[in-house]
Amino acid sequence: MKVIVAEDQGMLRGALSALLDLEDDIEVAAQAEDGRQALELIERLQPDICVMDIEMPHMSGLDVAEKLKELDHSCKVVILTTFSRSGYFQRAMRAGVRGFLLKDSPIDELGAALRTVFKGGRAVSPELAMTLFDSENPLSEREREVLKLASEGLSAGDIAGRLFLSAGTVRNYLSEAIQKLEAKNRIDAIGIAEKNGWL
């Protein structure tokens, strides 16, 4: 199988590629240091699988997976992450990601996962498997309230006035919601919450 490794940390990218290249049935065709480069390489080299980190410059691994789904591309995506939070996992499943593993998994586990995915299966770290069924709203009642008002275009000051809170407290709630949803900013957080029916 032809594989591309996309990881923004050079040492980890090199080590991962070298270890996968030792497997008889795996050929690392290229390495990418960010999501945009990964997408270009996938379109140019047509690999079977792309092993990707989530947090990368320009485009995250999940952005790339969503783009490939949109393009109906045959390249299968396996995400390697240090994050076991359900927000990422839910988004990955919606984007058609075939494998979702933690970075501290042993290399033979990754090799086995790639073979499973290559044959059309799905590979998920046991620690992450439970979150597949866990799409409960991660936001507290107050965070939901603040995000809902933000979605109506209200500023932190306006929301503070409406909820009898200080603007600083409102900003804290917004920042907490953004973190919990693994969003880039409040607009992204609103989008994620709305898509999951959490607002």
Side-chain angles (χ1 to χ4, degrees):
M1 73 188 89
K2 196 153 80 164
V3 173
I4 284 175
V5 174
E7 161 65 60
D8 61 330
Q9 292 175 29
M11 195 183 288
L12 184 55
R13 184 173 67 245
L16 198 53
S17 301
L19 287 167
L20 286 175
D21 249 341
L22 293 173
E23 303 285 327
D24 295 335
D25 55 347
I26 299 172
E27 176 210 340
V28 177
Q31 299 177 30
E33 59 187 35
D34 61 54
R36 197 181 297 150
Q37 191 183 21
L39 194 57
E40 284 165 12
L41 287 167
I42 289 166
E43 290 177 328
R44 186 153 51 84
L45 302 172
Q46 301 294 316
D48 300 299
I49 297 174
C50 185
V51 177
M52 268 190 289
D53 184 20
I54 287 187
E55 295 291 344
M56 290 188 292
H58 307 306
M59 287 176 87
S60 73
L62 294 176
D63 292 337
V64 175
E66 285 165 350
K67 187 69 183 162
L68 290 172
K69 186 179 184 187
E70 194 185 300
L71 296 169
D72 200 19
H73 199 285
S74 63
C75 176
K76 297 176 174 77
V77 173
V78 172
I79 293 282
L80 273 189
T81 182
T82 48
F83 304 102
S84 58
R85 285 174 265 164
S86 66
Y88 274 158
F89 186 62
Q90 298 296 333
R91 190 177 157 201
M93 292 299 105
R94 283 195 302 274
V97 167
R98 305 301 302 171
F100 203 92
L101 306 168
L102 291 171
K103 277 186 184 171
D104 56 9
S105 310
I107 194 72
D108 54 352
E109 201 176 293
L110 175 59
L114 292 184
R115 289 180 191 97
T116 300
V117 168
F118 183 61
K119 288 178 189 149
R122 181 168 263 162
V124 177
S125 278
E127 303 91 322
L128 294 164
M130 291 315 293
T131 62
L132 178 58
F133 307 103
D134 169 31
S135 56
E136 284 171 26
N137 192 338
L139 302 172
S140 70
E141 191 59 49
R142 188 58 107 180
E143 286 157 2
R144 248 194 338 260
E145 213 174 353
V146 167
L147 211 51
K148 181 96 180 89
L149 291 171
S151 77
E152 292 165 18
L154 271 63
S155 69
D158 295 336
I159 296 170
R162 186 83 68 93
L163 299 177
F164 307 104
L165 299 168
S166 75
T169 303
V170 167
R171 277 192 290 274
N172 286 344
Y173 280 126
L174 283 170
S175 134
E176 195 63 33
I178 288 165
Q179 227 174 341
K180 282 184 181 175
L181 298 174
E182 284 103 23
K184 298 182 190 82
N185 50 42
R186 76 169 70 176
I187 312 290
D188 193 25
I190 291 163
I192 292 168
E194 284 176 343
K195 207 185 326 184
N196 284 289
W198 291 337
L199 275 192

